[in-house]
Amino acid sequence: MTLIEVIAVVAVLGVVMAAVTGFMITGTKMSARVSDTAKDSMQDQTTVEFIQKLVLECSSADLKLDGDEILNKANQGTGYYPTLKIIFPENASAELSFVDVDQDGINDHLTYVMYTEDPASGEKTSKKPIELCSLEKPSLNGFLINEETNTLTYYLNDEKHVVHLRVTKQP
């Protein structure tokens, strides 16, 4: 083998390795993007299933909307409230709340917190809030109970979810 042949082989190998490395880097970036999207999707799906299971385990009389009514951009009421309070037997309650973590005026997380109340003193104790999911597109985040259709409606990342309540309210 001559020196010219060795240089030609090294040059060809260099070009081939550069192309293979480029494909590997692109594949790794794409895999990371798909993995992040799948993680977010799974988190949203888990949150929806959690809410549905939680709401279906209680009667509609045990669900209360809490907080100030959410206003639209024209400062008109929407009927949606940022917090859904769930009353359990034995002096326990829970809240699903769309909260503003950054204090920038936009609800950007959905959290769940469980409370217990001492019947003698009336003192409430709460467990640490659990962040169910962060919101990518926090436009209208709140809960709406429709007594006519007996449904609970909420939006999670601009996707509308409707849970049909198990038991209607008694007059």
Side-chain angles (χ1 to χ4, degrees):
M1 289 206 332
T2 65
L3 181 61
I4 294 175
E5 291 172 331
V6 171
I7 291 174
V9 168
V10 168
V12 169
L13 282 175
V15 170
V16 169
M17 290 305 292
V20 168
T21 303
F23 284 127
M24 289 177 63
I25 290 172
T26 302
T28 303
K29 287 180 181 178
M30 188 180 304
S31 175
R33 234 179 301 141
V34 168
S35 178
D36 286 345
T37 303
K39 179 183 162 224
D40 292 344
S41 179
M42 283 178 40
Q43 188 178 29
D44 287 356
Q45 184 62 36
T46 303
T47 300
V48 169
E49 290 172 4
F50 175 79
I51 293 172
Q52 185 159 0
K53 182 178 185 281
L54 187 67
V55 169
L56 289 176
E57 287 179 352
C58 58
S59 72
S60 60
D62 298 332
L63 301 176
K64 309 282 185 233
L65 297 174
D66 201 11
D68 294 328
E69 185 176 8
I70 295 173
L71 303 177
N72 63 16
K73 291 180 181 176
N75 280 338
Q76 298 171 330
T78 61
Y80 285 84
Y81 288 80
T83 302
L84 178 69
K85 189 171 187 175
I86 302 153
I87 313 298
F88 296 113
E90 302 174 11
N91 303 315
S93 62
E95 289 183 357
L96 285 164
S97 298
F98 289 99
V99 295
D100 178 9
V101 172
D102 307 327
Q103 272 80 42
D104 59 0
I106 298 173
N107 293 335
D108 52 9
H109 287 78
L110 177 63
T111 61
Y112 172 77
V113 64
M114 186 78 180
Y115 294 93
T116 54
E117 185 174 333
D118 182 4
S121 67
E123 183 178 321
K124 284 186 176 183
T125 56
S126 68
K127 296 182 179 177
K128 182 180 177 188
I130 299 167
E131 181 184 320
L132 298 177
C133 68
S134 59
L135 306 174
E136 300 161 7
K137 304 172 186 171
S139 56
L140 173 68
N141 298 311
F143 299 96
L144 171 68
I145 295 176
N146 186 331
E147 294 179 8
E148 292 175 11
T149 60
N150 203 32
T151 57
L152 169 71
T153 304
Y154 63 96
Y155 286 83
L156 195 60
N157 289 327
D158 278 348
E159 190 172 323
K160 183 178 181 179
H161 299 278
V162 178
V163 180
H164 293 276
L165 302 176
R166 195 175 55 148
V167 180
T168 60
K169 286 188 176 182
Q170 298 298 321

